[in-house]
Amino acid sequence: MTTLREVLEEAFAVFNSCEAAELRRFIHPDATWPNTLETGETLIGQNAVLAHFARLFATLRPNIHLIEVIEETDQSLTVEAQYAVETEDGQVWSDTRARLTYHFRDGLLSGMTILSGF
């Protein structure tokens, strides 16, 4: 059986490869996600979340490393992560540490709550 941590680690690896379509297998159909690129509004549904990632990958290259993972509940993990983000031409756009809670449903990512760092 795959643990939530394993799902999250694999999703991060795919995210770092900037392959938005490949993330579909990790995102729950009813996911809600903060729009961290544009308006800050809540994105609703797998297609909206994946479209957000596609827009992000069109202009930025994220490289995220998990520093700490804490199991909060049987359906959520809180992480501390280092977010290094570059523009397409290799300029550092952001390099920050963030604390986030990832929520799961049916073994898939169903949401993210930003606790600090964005």
Side-chain angles (χ1 to χ4, degrees):
M1 176 177 234
T2 303
T3 67
L4 298 182
R5 183 182 181 131
E6 290 169 329
V7 170
L8 186 64
E9 288 174 348
E10 191 173 347
F12 267 68
V14 172
F15 186 87
N16 285 340
S17 73
C18 298
E19 296 292 334
E22 294 297 317
L23 287 167
R24 182 173 297 279
R25 63 189 165 115
F26 299 101
I27 307 295
H28 193 276
D30 298 323
T32 58
W33 212 267
N35 184 335
T36 58
L37 182 63
E38 298 144 335
T39 63
E41 69 187 340
T42 299
L43 303 164
I44 300 172
Q46 182 187 63
N47 289 336
V49 173
L50 294 173
H52 167 71
F53 291 147
R55 288 189 305 278
L56 185 138
F57 298 150
T59 57
L60 300 172
R61 300 292 173 256
N63 190 354
I64 304 165
H65 295 279
L66 292 172
I67 296 168
E68 180 181 19
V69 179
I70 301 165
E71 185 175 330
E72 295 291 341
T73 71
D74 62 350
Q75 294 299 304
S76 68
L77 298 172
T78 293
V79 305
E80 186 170 339
Q82 186 69 32
Y83 277 73
V85 181
E86 296 179 350
T87 61
E88 287 181 315
D89 62 358
Q91 298 298 311
V92 174
W93 184 72
S94 175
D95 191 1
T96 188
R97 193 168 282 198
R99 193 160 186 81
L100 312 161
T101 297
Y102 289 94
H103 309 279
F104 294 81
R105 188 181 323 157
D106 304 324
L108 299 172
L109 288 159
S110 63
M112 179 181 77
T113 302
I114 300 169
L115 303 175
S116 66
F118 273 90

